[in-house]
């Protein structure tokens, strides 16, 4: 299904239906205040001498986190940021397991679909970071205060080892339908949707692209060609780059990075359109809300953070005209995204994963 020029408007309309809230803000770095009790927070001015520990759960890529945090540490040198990082599904499961005794102060760069699930479980504290009015509607919840605020979007891509396919005299697949051709049997790896946010929007993307019944029929055929399901969205790209398997269903950023390192890969954005999700932030509901947590969320949608995100992703949440399209992406990256309802995906997450695991989990790699 090819998209038209109206896709962006369709996306904005679809995502505006999401539950949540959003406006106002606090200024990163204002005078230290006593910790606030939980309960609907508007942005407050908190500047300067912030000190203390901050526990941040994230699914951002390992090679991104250090670079992203540089500007936060410059303005908040006395805040110790403790990062807990894993794949989307694992971080989501960890947060849900800790529902009655939350450990994270904030979530940074987790799939919006996961944050919707957390909000459905009453685990998210409303907070509208400073500068939220600059954030595109498709990247934030509706209402005030916000329940989640996005920073960028990531999307399905095939990472194809051209040397390996040349050896087998096979063409580079360009479409989802190409992937189910019998000549690619045993040559494809993709992420397990229960572990990986990329895997989850692959599966839910096919459901929304083809319809519920036909999508399972498609995945049955794809399963015949799958060698293994990984527990990481980036691992299929790395495996394809290393020549372990010719084709990895992954996401654009990781494939582009592998190509930059010199791997003989082509990054293919499928012609039918890419499944996608928003990397987003939220304040966790706890008995004590730390001012450092709000300062972090303010920083996370500020100019310096946005510049850092834009080095890796073509679609960021603040579009002030100064952004660029990184090498390797299409000239119109928004048009690559399929029409996708994040709220519907989140609402049906458990049933979709249960059905997927019943059908296909036998090919998943062992959990480490």
């Amino acid at each position: 299904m090819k998209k038209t020029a109206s896709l962006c408007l369709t996306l904005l309309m679809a995502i505006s239906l999401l539950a949540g809230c959003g406006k106002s803000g606090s200024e990163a770095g204002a005078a230290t205040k006593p910790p606030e009790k939980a309960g609907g927070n508007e942005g407050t001015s908190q500047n300067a001498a912030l000190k203390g520990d901050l526990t941040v759960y994230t699914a951002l890529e390992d090679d991104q986190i250090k670079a992203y945090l540089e500007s936060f540490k410059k303005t908040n040198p006395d805040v110790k940021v403790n990062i807990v990082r894993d794949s989307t599904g694992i971080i989501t499961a960890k947060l849900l397991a800790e529902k009655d005794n939350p450990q994270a102060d904030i979530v940074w760069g987790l799939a919006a679909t996961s944050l919707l699930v957390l909000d459905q479980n009453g685990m998210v504290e409303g907070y509208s970071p400073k500068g939220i009015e600059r954030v595109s509607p498709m990247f934030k919840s509706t209402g005030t205060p916000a329940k989640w605020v996005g920073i960028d979007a990531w999307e399905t891509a095939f990472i194809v080892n051209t040397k390996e396919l040349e050896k087998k005299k096979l063409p580079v697949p360009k479409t989802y339908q190409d992937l189910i051709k019998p000549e690619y049997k045993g040559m494809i790896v993709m992420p397990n949707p229960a572990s990986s946010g990329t895997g989850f929007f692959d599966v839910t993307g096919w459901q929304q692209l083809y319809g519920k019944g036909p999508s399972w029929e498609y995945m049955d055929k794809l399963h015949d060609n799958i060698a293994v399901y990984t527990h990481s969205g980036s691992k299929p790209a790395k495996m394809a780059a290393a020549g372990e398997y010719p084709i990895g269903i992954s996401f654009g950023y990781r494939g582009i990075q592998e190509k930059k390192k010199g791997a003989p890969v082509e990054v293919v954005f499928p012609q039918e359109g890419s499944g996608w999700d928003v990397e987003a932030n939220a304040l966790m509901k706890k008995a004590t809300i730390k001012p450092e947590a709000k300062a972090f969320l303010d920083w996370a949608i500020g100019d310096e953070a946005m510049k850092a995100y834009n080095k890796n992703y073509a679609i960021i949440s603040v579009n002030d005209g100064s952004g660029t399209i990184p090498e390797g992406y299409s000239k119109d990256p928004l048009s690559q995204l399929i029409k996708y309802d994040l709220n519907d995906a989140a609402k049906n997450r458990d049933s979709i994963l249960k059905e997927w695991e019943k059908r296909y989990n036998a090919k998943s790699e062992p959990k480490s």
Side-chain angles (χ1 to χ4, degrees), residues 218-239:
Y218 171 79
M219 284 184 272
D220 286 345
K221 295 174 183 176
L222 178 64
H223 182 69
D224 290 339
N225 288 353
I226 294 289
V228 65
Y229 297 102
T230 68
H231 293 297
S232 160
S234 59
K235 190 171 182 179
K238 295 175 182 178
M239 295 173 85

Side-chain angles (χ1 to χ4, degrees), residues 8 13-14 19 38 65 77 86 97 100 132 227 254 346:
C8 295
M13 292 174 64
I65 295 170
D86 215 314
D100 295 330
I132 193 173
R254 181 49 60 197

Side-chain angles (χ1 to χ4, degrees), residues 8 269 314-315 323-336:
C8 295
F269 295 99
I315 305 171
T324 61
I325 298 176
E327 180 182 354
Y329 289 95
S330 63
K331 293 181 179 179
D332 186 9
L334 268 176
S335 72
Q336 177 60 34

